[in-house]
Amino acid sequence: QVQLVESGGGLVQAGGSLRLSCAASGRTFSSYAMGWFRQAPGKEREFVAAIRRSAGGTYSYYADSVKGRFTISREYAKSTVYLQMDRLTPEDTAAYYCAADLGVTGATQVRHSNSYDYWGQGTQVTVSS
């Protein structure tokens, strides 16, 4: 079992930055692929970013809409994954969710919410214009 707790959301003006954190419980944090998803009111949950480690190294993935503005990273010692969000726009307003799974592999799987078994409760990000 893995428990995920997000933090760091809030209200920010367009052009500003926020850093979201997702603290994970469990002894095998390093083995999990970690993802960030978001859901705006009236919209479906969408992929934002993901990070996973394999024998070949650590891989990061981003939605086209955030590439170049958002950065995902993880700190193994703290069992925490971060989402640094820069140059925010009102279109980034949403509830942001952290997700984890042991079985996620590859660039396609990491982008699908149904690939993840564990989810946090979400943190709200609101970007004002």
Side-chain angles (χ1 to χ4, degrees):
Q1 284 285 346
V2 175
Q3 290 186 327
L4 305 172
V5 180
E6 301 101 330
S7 60
L11 174 64
V12 64
Q13 288 189 330
S17 299
L18 281 175
R19 189 177 79 157
L20 305 183
S21 300
C22 173
S25 65
R27 293 173 292 178
T28 58
F29 170 74
S30 61
S31 301
Y32 283 80
M34 303 295 295
W36 285 98
F37 291 77
R38 66 187 182 187
Q39 188 167 17
K43 295 188 177 181
E44 293 187 353
R45 189 168 296 190
E46 65 173 2
F47 170 75
V48 176
I51 188 167
R52 69 177 186 94
R53 189 168 72 173
S54 71
T58 298
Y59 300 91
S60 302
Y61 308 86
Y62 298 94
D64 288 343
S65 59
V66 307
K67 196 174 296 182
R69 299 188 298 122
F70 291 11
T71 304
I72 189 170
S73 62
R74 65 196 298 173
E75 187 172 0
Y76 292 99
K78 294 185 177 181
S79 297
T80 299
V81 64
Y82 303 100
L83 185 68
Q84 177 66 42
M85 306 186 295
D86 299 319
R87 290 183 281 140
L88 286 160
T89 74
E91 288 69 36
D92 296 315
T93 295
Y96 283 70
Y97 298 90
C98 176
D101 200 88
L102 271 177
V104 174
T105 59
T108 300
Q109 268 194 330
V110 297
R111 298 172 185 273
H112 292 277
S113 60
N114 57 12
S115 297
Y116 297 84
D117 281 341
Y118 302 102
W119 291 84
Q121 81 289 351
T123 186
Q124 179 67 35
V125 171
T126 303
V127 184
S128 62
S129 57

